[in-house]
Amino acid sequence: MKDPYEILGVPRSASEAEIKKAFRTLAKKHHPDTHANDPKAVKKFQEISAAYEVVGNGAALGATEADGWRTWRANLRRLARPNAARDIAARLREGEL
């Protein structure tokens, strides 16, 4: 799946209200009821809905961000000294970074 923020056309810093407004605008534009014979519109509507489920739902977004954190830590371990990820994570927890 593409970046859900990109699909909705909002920046990552967008507020919940901005995200909801963008979703509603796109949902109206691509809704299957208004484009009954257009399979592309149906597919686009499904893509928009899936993106909103991720961005509009904090739990799903948290899981996505957690995956990014795990990837970042894995890359850090691979590229840096073995304990660098643990040291940085500890400093983040303590509020030093």
Side-chain angles (χ1 to χ4, degrees), residues 5-55:
Y5 291 96
E6 184 179 319
I7 292 169
L8 294 173
V10 295
R12 287 190 169 271
S13 60
S15 68
E16 284 185 41
E18 292 171 320
I19 292 168
K20 191 173 193 177
K21 183 178 179 182
F23 166 71
R24 287 184 173 182
T25 302
L26 290 170
K28 282 181 186 178
K29 182 177 178 182
H30 297 285
H31 198 279
D33 289 347
T34 58
H35 301 285
N37 298 326
D38 187 2
K40 288 182 183 180
V42 172
K43 186 173 181 176
K44 182 68 175 175
F45 180 79
Q46 291 171 342
E47 184 181 44
I48 293 164
S49 297
Y52 183 69
E53 280 185 40
V54 172
V55 175

Side-chain angles (χ1 to χ4, degrees), residues 69 72-73 76 84-94 97:
W69 174 250
W72 178 82
R73 286 186 65 193
L76 186 60
R86 186 176 48 217
D87 295 344
I88 290 172
R91 291 177 66 193
L92 284 170
R93 281 193 300 273
E94 295 170 5
L97 295 178

